[in-house]
Coordinates of all heavy atoms in Angstrom, one line a residue:
M425 N 105.2 131.3 65.5 CA 106.1 130.3 65.1 C 107.0 130.7 64.0 O 106.6 131.4 63.0 CB 105.3 129.0 64.7 CG 106.2 127.9 64.1 SD 105.4 126.4 64.0 CE 105.9 125.6 65.5
T426 N 108.3 130.4 64.0 CA 109.2 130.8 63.0 C 109.2 129.8 61.8 O 108.7 128.7 61.9 CB 110.6 130.8 63.5 OG1 111.0 129.5 63.9 CG2 110.8 131.8 64.6
T427 N 109.6 130.3 60.7 CA 109.7 129.4 59.5 C 111.1 129.0 59.2 O 111.9 129.7 58.6 CB 109.2 130.2 58.3 OG1 107.9 130.8 58.6 CG2 109.1 129.4 57.0
G428 N 111.6 128.0 59.8 CA 112.9 127.4 59.6 C 114.0 128.4 59.9 O 115.0 128.3 59.3
G429 N 113.8 129.3 60.9 CA 114.9 130.2 61.3 C 114.9 131.5 60.5 O 115.5 132.5 61.0
R430 N 114.1 131.6 59.5 CA 114.1 132.9 58.7 C 113.5 134.0 59.6 O 114.1 135.1 59.7 CB 113.2 132.7 57.5 CG 113.8 131.8 56.5 CD 112.9 131.5 55.3 NE 112.6 132.7 54.6 CZ 112.7 132.8 53.3 NH1 112.9 131.7 52.6 NH2 112.5 133.9 52.7
T431 N 112.3 133.8 60.1 CA 111.7 134.8 60.9 C 112.5 135.1 62.2 O 112.7 136.2 62.6 CB 110.3 134.4 61.3 OG1 109.6 134.2 60.1 CG2 109.6 135.5 62.1
E432 N 113.0 134.0 62.8 CA 113.8 134.1 64.0 C 115.0 135.0 63.8 O 115.3 135.9 64.7 CB 114.3 132.7 64.5 CG 115.0 132.7 65.8 CD 115.4 131.3 66.2 OE1 114.7 130.4 65.9 OE2 116.5 131.2 66.8
L433 N 115.7 134.9 62.7 CA 116.9 135.7 62.4 C 116.5 137.2 62.4 O 117.1 138.1 63.0 CB 117.5 135.3 61.1 CG 118.7 136.1 60.6 CD1 119.9 135.9 61.5 CD2 119.1 135.8 59.2
G434 N 115.4 137.5 61.7 CA 114.9 138.9 61.6 C 114.5 139.4 62.9 O 114.8 140.6 63.2
V435 N 113.8 138.7 63.7 CA 113.3 139.1 65.0 C 114.5 139.4 65.9 O 114.5 140.4 66.6 CB 112.4 138.1 65.6 CG1 112.1 138.4 67.1 CG2 111.0 138.0 64.8
D436 N 115.5 138.5 65.9 CA 116.7 138.7 66.7 C 117.5 140.0 66.3 O 118.0 140.7 67.1 CB 117.6 137.5 66.7 CG 117.0 136.3 67.5 OD1 116.0 136.5 68.2 OD2 117.5 135.2 67.3
L437 N 117.6 140.2 64.9 CA 118.2 141.4 64.5 C 117.4 142.7 64.9 O 118.0 143.7 65.3 CB 118.3 141.4 62.9 CG 119.5 140.6 62.4 CD1 119.3 140.5 60.9 CD2 120.8 141.3 62.7
D438 N 116.1 142.6 64.9 CA 115.3 143.7 65.3 C 115.5 144.0 66.8 O 115.5 145.1 67.2 CB 113.8 143.5 64.9 CG 113.0 144.8 65.0 OD1 113.6 145.8 64.6 OD2 111.8 144.7 65.4
E439 N 115.6 142.9 67.6 CA 115.9 143.1 69.0 C 117.2 143.8 69.2 O 117.3 144.7 70.1 CB 115.9 141.8 69.7 CG 114.5 141.2 69.9 CD 114.5 139.8 70.6 OE1 115.5 139.4 71.1 OE2 113.4 139.2 70.6
L440 N 118.2 143.5 68.4 CA 119.5 144.2 68.5 C 119.3 145.7 68.2 O 119.8 146.5 68.9 CB 120.5 143.5 67.5 CG 121.9 144.2 67.5 CD1 122.6 144.0 68.8 CD2 122.7 143.5 66.3
R441 N 118.5 145.9 67.1 CA 118.3 147.3 66.7 C 117.6 148.1 67.9 O 118.0 149.2 68.2 CB 117.4 147.4 65.5 CG 116.9 148.8 65.1 CD 115.9 148.7 64.0 NE 114.6 148.2 64.4 CZ 113.6 148.9 64.9 NH1 113.8 150.2 65.1 NH2 112.5 148.4 65.2
L442 N 116.6 147.5 68.5 CA 115.9 148.1 69.6 C 116.7 148.3 70.8 O 116.6 149.3 71.5 CB 114.6 147.3 69.9 CG 113.5 147.3 68.8 CD1 112.5 146.2 69.1 CD2 112.9 148.6 68.6
L443 N 117.6 147.3 71.1 CA 118.5 147.4 72.2 C 119.4 148.7 72.1 O 119.7 149.3 73.2 CB 119.4 146.2 72.4 CG 118.8 145.0 73.0 CD1 119.7 143.8 72.9 CD2 118.5 145.3 74.5
V444 N 119.8 149.0 70.9 CA 120.7 150.2 70.8 C 119.9 151.5 70.5 O 120.5 152.5 70.4 CB 121.8 150.0 69.7 CG1 122.7 148.9 70.2 CG2 121.2 149.7 68.4
G445 N 118.6 151.3 70.4 CA 117.7 152.5 70.2 C 117.7 153.1 68.9 O 117.5 154.3 68.8
L446 N 117.8 152.3 67.8 CA 117.9 152.9 66.5 C 116.5 152.8 65.8 O 115.8 151.8 65.9 CB 118.9 152.2 65.6 CG 120.3 152.3 66.0 CD1 121.2 151.5 65.0 CD2 120.8 153.8 66.0
S447 N 116.1 153.9 65.2 CA 114.9 153.9 64.4 C 115.2 153.2 63.0 O 116.4 153.1 62.7 CB 114.4 155.3 64.2 OG 115.3 156.0 63.4
Y448 N 114.2 152.9 62.3 CA 114.5 152.4 60.9 C 115.2 153.4 60.1 O 116.1 153.1 59.3 CB 113.2 152.0 60.2 CG 112.7 150.6 60.6 CD1 111.7 150.4 61.4 CD2 113.3 149.5 60.0 CE1 111.2 149.1 61.8 CE2 112.9 148.2 60.4 CZ 111.9 148.0 61.2 OH 111.4 146.8 61.6
R449 N 114.8 154.7 60.3 CA 115.4 155.8 59.5 C 116.9 155.9 59.8 O 117.8 156.0 58.9 CB 114.7 157.1 59.8 CG 115.4 158.3 59.2 CD 114.7 159.6 59.4 NE 113.5 159.5 58.5 CZ 112.4 160.1 58.7 NH1 112.2 161.0 59.7 NH2 111.4 160.0 57.9
E450 N 117.3 155.8 61.1 CA 118.7 155.9 61.5 C 119.4 154.7 61.1 O 120.6 154.7 60.6 CB 118.8 156.1 63.0 CG 120.3 156.2 63.5 CD 121.1 157.4 62.9 OE1 120.5 158.3 62.4 OE2 122.3 157.3 63.0
L451 N 118.8 153.5 61.2 CA 119.5 152.3 60.7 C 119.7 152.3 59.2 O 120.8 151.9 58.7 CB 118.6 151.1 61.1 CG 119.2 149.7 60.8 CD1 120.5 149.5 61.6 CD2 118.3 148.6 61.2
A452 N 118.8 152.9 58.5 CA 118.9 153.0 57.0 C 120.1 153.9 56.7 O 120.9 153.7 55.8 CB 117.6 153.5 56.4
R453 N 120.2 155.0 57.5 CA 121.3 156.0 57.2 C 122.6 155.3 57.5 O 123.6 155.4 56.7 CB 121.1 157.2 58.2 CG 122.1 158.3 57.9 CD 122.1 159.4 58.8 NE 122.5 159.1 60.2 CZ 123.8 158.9 60.5 NH1 124.7 159.0 59.6 NH2 124.1 158.6 61.7
R454 N 122.7 154.5 58.6 CA 124.0 153.9 59.0 C 124.4 152.7 58.1 O 125.6 152.5 57.9 CB 123.9 153.4 60.4 CG 123.9 154.5 61.4 CD 123.9 153.9 62.8 NE 123.8 154.9 63.9 CZ 124.1 154.7 65.1 NH1 124.5 153.5 65.5 NH2 124.0 155.7 66.0
T455 N 123.4 152.0 57.5 CA 123.7 150.9 56.7 C 123.8 151.1 55.2 O 124.4 150.4 54.5 CB 122.6 149.7 56.9 OG1 121.4 150.2 56.5 CG2 122.6 149.3 58.4
G456 N 123.1 152.2 54.8 CA 123.0 152.5 53.4 C 121.9 151.6 52.7 O 121.8 151.6 51.5
C457 N 121.1 150.9 53.5 CA 120.0 150.0 53.0 C 118.7 150.8 53.0 O 118.5 151.7 53.9 CB 119.8 148.8 53.9 SG 121.3 147.7 53.9
A458 N 117.8 150.5 52.1 CA 116.5 151.1 52.1 C 115.7 150.7 53.3 O 115.9 149.6 53.8 CB 115.8 150.8 50.8
R459 N 114.9 151.6 53.8 CA 114.1 151.3 55.0 C 113.2 150.1 54.7 O 113.0 149.3 55.6 CB 113.3 152.5 55.5 CG 114.1 153.5 56.3 CD 113.2 154.5 56.9 NE 112.9 155.5 55.8 CZ 112.1 156.5 55.9 NH1 111.4 156.7 57.0 NH2 112.0 157.4 55.0
S460 N 112.7 150.0 53.5 CA 111.8 148.9 53.2 C 112.6 147.6 53.2 O 112.0 146.5 53.7 CB 111.1 149.1 51.8 OG 112.1 149.2 50.8
T461 N 113.8 147.6 52.8 CA 114.6 146.4 52.8 C 114.9 146.0 54.3 O 114.8 144.8 54.6 CB 116.0 146.6 52.1 OG1 115.8 146.9 50.8 CG2 116.9 145.4 52.3
L462 N 115.2 147.0 55.1 CA 115.4 146.7 56.5 C 114.1 146.2 57.2 O 114.2 145.2 57.9 CB 115.9 147.9 57.2 CG 117.2 148.5 56.8 CD1 117.5 149.8 57.4 CD2 118.3 147.5 57.1
H463 N 113.0 146.8 56.9 CA 111.7 146.3 57.5 C 111.4 144.9 57.1 O 111.0 144.1 57.9 CB 110.6 147.3 57.0 CG 109.3 146.9 57.7 ND1 108.4 146.1 57.1 CD2 108.8 147.2 58.9 CE1 107.3 146.0 57.9 NE2 107.6 146.6 59.0
D464 N 111.6 144.6 55.8 CA 111.3 143.2 55.3 C 112.2 142.2 56.0 O 111.8 141.1 56.4 CB 111.5 143.1 53.8 CG 110.4 143.8 53.0 OD1 109.4 144.2 53.6 OD2 110.5 143.9 51.8
A465 N 113.5 142.6 56.2 CA 114.5 141.7 56.8 C 114.2 141.5 58.3 O 114.2 140.4 58.9 CB 115.9 142.2 56.7
L466 N 113.9 142.6 59.0 CA 113.7 142.6 60.5 C 112.3 142.0 60.9 O 112.2 141.6 62.1 CB 113.9 144.0 61.1 CG 115.3 144.5 60.8 CD1 115.4 145.9 61.4 CD2 116.4 143.6 61.4
T467 N 111.4 142.0 60.0 CA 110.1 141.4 60.3 C 110.0 140.0 59.8 O 109.0 139.3 60.1 CB 108.9 142.2 59.7 OG1 109.1 142.2 58.3 CG2 108.9 143.6 60.3
G468 N 111.0 139.5 59.1 CA 110.9 138.1 58.6 C 110.1 138.0 57.3 O 109.9 136.9 56.8
R469 N 109.7 139.1 56.7 CA 108.9 139.1 55.5 C 109.7 138.5 54.4 O 109.2 137.8 53.5 CB 108.5 140.5 55.2 CG 107.6 140.6 54.0 CD 107.0 141.9 53.8 NE 106.2 141.9 52.6 CZ 105.8 143.0 52.0 NH1 106.1 144.2 52.5 NH2 105.0 142.9 50.9
R470 N 111.0 138.9 54.3 CA 111.9 138.4 53.3 C 113.2 137.9 54.0 O 113.6 138.6 54.9 CB 112.3 139.4 52.2 CG 111.1 139.8 51.4 CD 111.6 140.7 50.3 NE 110.4 141.2 49.6 CZ 110.2 141.1 48.3 NH1 111.1 140.5 47.6 NH2 109.1 141.5 47.8
F471 N 113.8 136.9 53.4 CA 115.1 136.4 54.0 C 116.2 137.4 53.5 O 116.4 137.6 52.3 CB 115.4 135.0 53.5 CG 116.6 134.4 54.3 CD1 116.4 134.0 55.6 CD2 117.8 134.3 53.6 CE1 117.5 133.5 56.2 CE2 118.9 133.8 54.3 CZ 118.7 133.4 55.6
P472 N 116.9 138.0 54.5 CA 117.9 139.0 54.1 C 119.2 138.4 53.5 O 119.5 137.3 53.8 CB 118.2 139.7 55.4 CG 118.0 138.6 56.5 CD 116.8 137.8 55.9
R473 N 119.8 139.2 52.6 CA 121.1 138.8 52.1 C 122.1 138.9 53.2 O 121.9 139.7 54.2 CB 121.5 139.7 51.0 CG 120.6 139.5 49.7 CD 121.0 140.6 48.7 NE 122.4 140.8 48.6 CZ 123.1 140.8 47.5 NH1 122.6 140.6 46.4 NH2 124.4 141.0 47.5
L474 N 123.2 138.2 53.1 CA 124.2 138.3 54.1 C 124.8 139.7 54.3 O 125.0 140.2 55.4 CB 125.4 137.3 53.8 CG 126.5 137.3 54.8 CD1 126.1 137.0 56.2 CD2 127.6 136.3 54.4
D475 N 125.0 140.4 53.2 CA 125.5 141.8 53.3 C 124.6 142.7 54.1 O 125.0 143.5 54.9 CB 125.9 142.4 52.0 CG 124.7 142.4 51.0 OD1 123.7 141.7 51.2 OD2 124.9 143.1 50.0
T476 N 123.3 142.5 54.0 CA 122.3 143.2 54.8 C 122.4 142.9 56.3 O 122.4 143.8 57.1 CB 120.9 143.0 54.3 OG1 120.8 143.3 52.9 CG2 119.8 143.8 55.1
V477 N 122.5 141.6 56.6 CA 122.6 141.2 58.0 C 123.9 141.8 58.6 O 123.8 142.3 59.7 CB 122.6 139.6 58.1 CG1 123.0 139.2 59.5 CG2 121.3 139.1 57.7
L478 N 125.0 141.7 57.9 CA 126.2 142.2 58.4 C 126.2 143.7 58.6 O 126.8 144.3 59.5 CB 127.4 141.8 57.6 CG 127.6 140.2 57.5 CD1 128.8 139.9 56.6 CD2 127.8 139.7 58.9
A479 N 125.6 144.4 57.6 CA 125.4 145.9 57.7 C 124.6 146.3 59.0 O 125.0 147.2 59.7 CB 124.8 146.4 56.5
I480 N 123.5 145.5 59.2 CA 122.7 145.8 60.4 C 123.5 145.5 61.7 O 123.5 146.3 62.6 CB 121.4 145.0 60.4 CG1 120.5 145.4 59.2 CG2 120.7 145.0 61.7 CD1 119.4 144.4 58.9
A481 N 124.2 144.4 61.7 CA 125.0 144.0 62.9 C 126.1 145.1 63.1 O 126.3 145.5 64.3 CB 125.6 142.7 62.7
T482 N 126.7 145.5 62.1 CA 127.8 146.5 62.3 C 127.2 147.8 62.8 O 127.8 148.4 63.7 CB 128.5 146.8 60.9 OG1 129.1 145.5 60.5 CG2 129.6 147.8 61.0
A483 N 126.1 148.3 62.2 CA 125.5 149.5 62.6 C 125.0 149.5 64.1 O 125.0 150.5 64.7 CB 124.3 149.8 61.7
C484 N 124.7 148.3 64.6 CA 124.2 148.2 65.9 C 125.3 147.7 66.9 O 125.0 147.5 68.1 CB 123.1 147.2 66.0 SG 121.6 147.7 65.0
G485 N 126.5 147.6 66.4 CA 127.6 147.2 67.3 C 127.6 145.7 67.6 O 128.2 145.3 68.6
G486 N 127.0 144.9 66.8 CA 126.9 143.5 67.0 C 128.2 142.8 66.5 O 129.0 143.3 65.7
D487 N 128.3 141.5 66.9 CA 129.5 140.7 66.5 C 129.2 140.1 65.1 O 128.3 139.2 64.9 CB 129.6 139.6 67.5 CG 130.8 138.6 67.2 OD1 131.3 138.7 66.1 OD2 131.1 137.8 68.1
T488 N 129.9 140.7 64.1 CA 129.6 140.2 62.7 C 129.9 138.8 62.4 O 129.2 138.1 61.7 CB 130.3 141.1 61.7 OG1 131.7 141.1 61.9 CG2 129.8 142.5 61.7
A489 N 130.9 138.2 63.1 CA 131.2 136.8 62.9 C 130.0 136.0 63.4 O 129.6 135.0 62.8 CB 132.5 136.4 63.7
R490 N 129.5 136.3 64.5 CA 128.3 135.6 65.1 C 127.1 135.7 64.2 O 126.4 134.7 63.9 CB 128.0 136.2 66.5 CG 126.8 135.5 67.1 CD 126.5 136.1 68.5 NE 125.1 135.8 68.9 CZ 124.1 136.6 68.9 NH1 124.2 137.9 68.5 NH2 122.9 136.2 69.3
W491 N 126.8 136.9 63.6 CA 125.7 137.1 62.8 C 125.9 136.4 61.4 O 124.9 135.8 60.9 CB 125.4 138.6 62.6 CG 124.7 139.1 63.8 CD1 125.3 139.9 64.8 CD2 123.4 138.9 64.2 NE1 124.4 140.2 65.7 CE2 123.2 139.5 65.4 CE3 122.3 138.2 63.7 CZ2 122.0 139.5 66.1 CZ3 121.1 138.1 64.4 CH2 121.0 138.8 65.6
R492 N 127.1 136.3 61.0 CA 127.4 135.5 59.8 C 127.0 134.0 60.0 O 126.4 133.4 59.1 CB 128.9 135.6 59.4 CG 129.3 134.8 58.1 CD 130.7 134.9 57.8 NE 131.2 136.3 57.5 CZ 131.2 136.8 56.3 NH1 130.9 136.1 55.3 NH2 131.6 138.1 56.2
L493 N 127.5 133.5 61.1 CA 127.1 132.1 61.4 C 125.6 131.9 61.6 O 125.1 130.9 61.1 CB 127.8 131.7 62.7 CG 129.4 131.6 62.6 CD1 129.9 131.3 64.0 CD2 129.8 130.5 61.6
R494 N 124.9 132.8 62.2 CA 123.5 132.7 62.3 C 122.8 132.7 61.0 O 121.9 132.0 60.7 CB 122.9 133.9 63.1 CG 123.3 134.0 64.6 CD 122.3 133.2 65.4 NE 120.9 133.3 65.1 CZ 120.1 134.2 65.7 NH1 120.5 135.0 66.5 NH2 118.8 134.1 65.3
W495 N 123.3 133.6 60.0 CA 122.7 133.6 58.7 C 122.9 132.3 58.0 O 122.0 131.8 57.4 CB 123.4 134.8 57.9 CG 122.8 135.0 56.6 CD1 121.7 135.7 56.2 CD2 123.3 134.5 55.4 NE1 121.5 135.7 54.9 CE2 122.5 134.9 54.3 CE3 124.4 133.7 55.0 CZ2 122.7 134.6 53.0 CZ3 124.7 133.3 53.7 CH2 123.8 133.8 52.7
V496 N 124.1 131.8 58.0 CA 124.4 130.5 57.4 C 123.5 129.4 57.9 O 122.9 128.6 57.2 CB 125.9 130.1 57.5 CG1 126.2 128.7 57.1 CG2 126.8 131.1 56.7
A497 N 123.4 129.4 59.3 CA 122.5 128.4 59.9 C 121.1 128.5 59.5 O 120.4 127.6 59.2 CB 122.6 128.4 61.4
A498 N 120.6 129.8 59.4 CA 119.2 130.0 58.9 C 119.0 129.6 57.5 O 118.0 129.1 57.1 CB 118.9 131.5 59.1
C499 N 120.0 129.8 56.6 CA 120.0 129.4 55.2 C 119.7 127.9 55.2 O 118.9 127.4 54.4 CB 121.2 129.7 54.5 SG 121.4 131.4 54.0
K500 N 120.5 127.2 56.0 CA 120.4 125.7 56.0 C 119.1 125.2 56.4 O 118.5 124.3 55.9 CB 121.5 125.1 56.9 CG 122.9 125.2 56.3 CD 124.0 124.7 57.2 CE 125.3 124.9 56.6 NZ 126.4 124.5 57.5
R501 N 118.6 125.8 57.5 CA 117.3 125.4 58.1 C 116.1 125.8 57.1 O 115.1 125.2 57.1 CB 117.0 126.1 59.4 CG 117.8 125.4 60.5 CD 117.4 125.9 61.9 NE 117.2 127.3 62.0 CZ 118.2 128.1 62.5 NH1 119.4 127.7 62.8 NH2 118.0 129.4 62.6
S502 N 116.3 126.9 56.4 CA 115.2 127.4 55.6 C 115.3 126.9 54.1 O 114.4 127.2 53.3 CB 115.3 129.0 55.5 OG 115.2 129.5 56.8
H503 N 116.3 126.2 53.8 CA 116.5 125.6 52.5 C 116.5 126.7 51.5 O 115.9 126.6 50.4 CB 115.4 124.6 52.2 CG 115.3 123.5 53.2 ND1 116.3 122.6 53.4 CD2 114.4 123.2 54.1 CE1 116.0 121.8 54.3 NE2 114.8 122.1 54.8
V504 N 117.3 127.8 51.8 CA 117.5 128.9 50.8 C 118.3 128.3 49.7 O 119.3 127.6 49.9 CB 118.2 130.1 51.5 CG1 118.6 131.1 50.5 CG2 117.3 130.7 52.6
P505 N 117.9 128.6 48.4 CA 118.6 128.1 47.3 C 120.1 128.4 47.4 O 120.5 129.5 47.7 CB 118.0 128.8 46.1 CG 116.7 129.2 46.5 CD 116.8 129.4 48.0
R506 N 121.0 127.4 47.1 CA 122.4 127.6 47.3 C 122.9 128.8 46.5 O 123.8 129.5 46.9 CB 123.1 126.3 46.9 CG 124.6 126.4 47.1 CD 125.3 125.1 46.9 NE 125.0 124.0 47.9 CZ 125.4 124.0 49.1 NH1 126.1 124.9 49.6 NH2 125.0 123.0 49.9
T507 N 122.4 129.0 45.3 CA 122.9 130.1 44.5 C 122.6 131.4 45.2 O 123.5 132.3 45.1 CB 122.2 130.1 43.1 OG1 120.8 130.1 43.3 CG2 122.6 129.0 42.3
E508 N 121.5 131.6 45.9 CA 121.2 132.8 46.6 C 122.2 133.0 47.7 O 122.8 134.1 48.0 CB 119.8 132.8 47.1 CG 119.4 134.1 47.9 CD 118.0 134.0 48.4 OE1 117.1 133.4 47.7 OE2 117.7 134.6 49.4
A509 N 122.4 131.9 48.5 CA 123.3 132.0 49.6 C 124.8 132.2 49.1 O 125.5 133.0 49.7 CB 123.3 130.7 50.4
T510 N 125.2 131.5 48.1 CA 126.5 131.7 47.6 C 126.8 133.1 47.1 O 127.8 133.7 47.4 CB 126.8 130.7 46.5 OG1 126.6 129.4 47.0 CG2 128.2 130.7 46.0
T511 N 125.8 133.6 46.3 CA 126.0 135.0 45.8 C 126.2 136.0 47.0 O 127.1 136.8 46.9 CB 124.8 135.4 45.0 OG1 124.6 134.5 43.9 CG2 124.9 136.8 44.5
S512 N 125.4 135.9 48.0 CA 125.6 136.8 49.2 C 126.9 136.5 49.9 O 127.5 137.5 50.3 CB 124.4 136.6 50.1 OG 123.2 136.9 49.5
L513 N 127.3 135.3 50.0 CA 128.6 135.0 50.7 C 129.7 135.6 49.9 O 130.6 136.2 50.4 CB 128.7 133.5 50.9 CG 127.9 132.9 52.0 CD1 128.1 131.3 51.9 CD2 128.4 133.3 53.3
Q514 N 129.7 135.4 48.6 CA 130.8 135.9 47.8 C 130.9 137.4 47.8 O 131.9 138.0 47.8 CB 130.6 135.4 46.3 CG 130.9 133.9 46.2 CD 130.6 133.4 44.8 OE1 129.9 134.1 44.0 NE2 131.1 132.2 44.5
S515 N 129.7 138.1 47.8 CA 129.7 139.5 47.7 C 130.2 140.2 49.0 O 130.5 141.4 49.0 CB 128.3 140.0 47.4 OG 127.4 139.8 48.4
T516 N 130.3 139.4 50.1 CA 130.7 140.0 51.4 C 132.0 139.4 51.9 O 132.3 139.6 53.0 CB 129.6 139.9 52.4 OG1 129.3 138.5 52.6 CG2 128.4 140.7 52.0
S517 N 132.7 138.6 51.1 CA 133.9 137.9 51.6 C 134.9 139.0 51.9 O 135.1 139.9 51.1 CB 134.4 136.9 50.5 OG 133.5 135.9 50.3
P518 N 135.6 138.8 53.0 CA 136.7 139.8 53.3 C 137.8 139.7 52.3 O 138.1 138.7 51.7 CB 137.2 139.4 54.7 CG 136.6 138.0 55.0 CD 135.5 137.8 54.0
S519 N 138.4 140.9 52.0 CA 139.4 141.0 51.0 C 140.8 140.6 51.6 O 141.0 140.8 52.7 CB 139.5 142.4 50.5 OG 138.3 142.7 49.9

């Protein structure tokens, strides 16, 4: 069972990773994120920052607009503190 969308987001991102056949090592290389950060995000252990979600989506050829919407929806369902969500949103706003 998922926890308000948090785990579901990670599991779905991990399915995307597996569909394109990337190891955690290769995903880390492509995203610039630590493997532990990726593992925590993709297993639902920790709720990922938006920039992490978008980096994973980009590395896997996913639709970043769709993943941004999924992340926002998961924040709302999970009651992620607004400051955490806002900080992540501001740090990845397009220029």
Side-chain angles (χ1 to χ4, degrees):
M425 170 167 267
T426 62
T427 308
R430 293 172 67 131
T431 302
E432 184 179 329
L433 178 68
V435 167
D436 290 349
L437 278 169
D438 198 36
E439 286 179 9
L440 178 64
R441 175 188 70 86
L442 293 170
L443 279 172
V444 297
L446 294 179
S447 66
Y448 277 104
R449 176 175 286 158
E450 180 61 18
L451 186 60
R453 188 185 69 73
R454 290 186 184 193
T455 62
C457 298
R459 279 187 280 173
S460 60
T461 298
L462 296 172
H463 184 266
D464 287 350
L466 298 178
T467 60
R469 183 173 179 195
R470 292 184 189 239
F471 190 75
R473 291 174 40 131
L474 178 58
D475 57 344
T476 302
V477 170
L478 297 179
I480 294 167
T482 299
C484 296
D487 179 350
T488 55
R490 178 179 164 257
W491 285 103
R492 180 183 298 267
L493 292 174
R494 290 277 316 272
W495 182 86
V496 170
C499 283
K500 290 177 183 176
R501 287 192 310 268
S502 301
H503 307 292
V504 172
R506 185 172 294 285
T507 54
E508 181 180 329
T510 303
T511 301
S512 294
L513 284 170
Q514 289 174 345
S515 69
T516 60
S517 295
S519 300

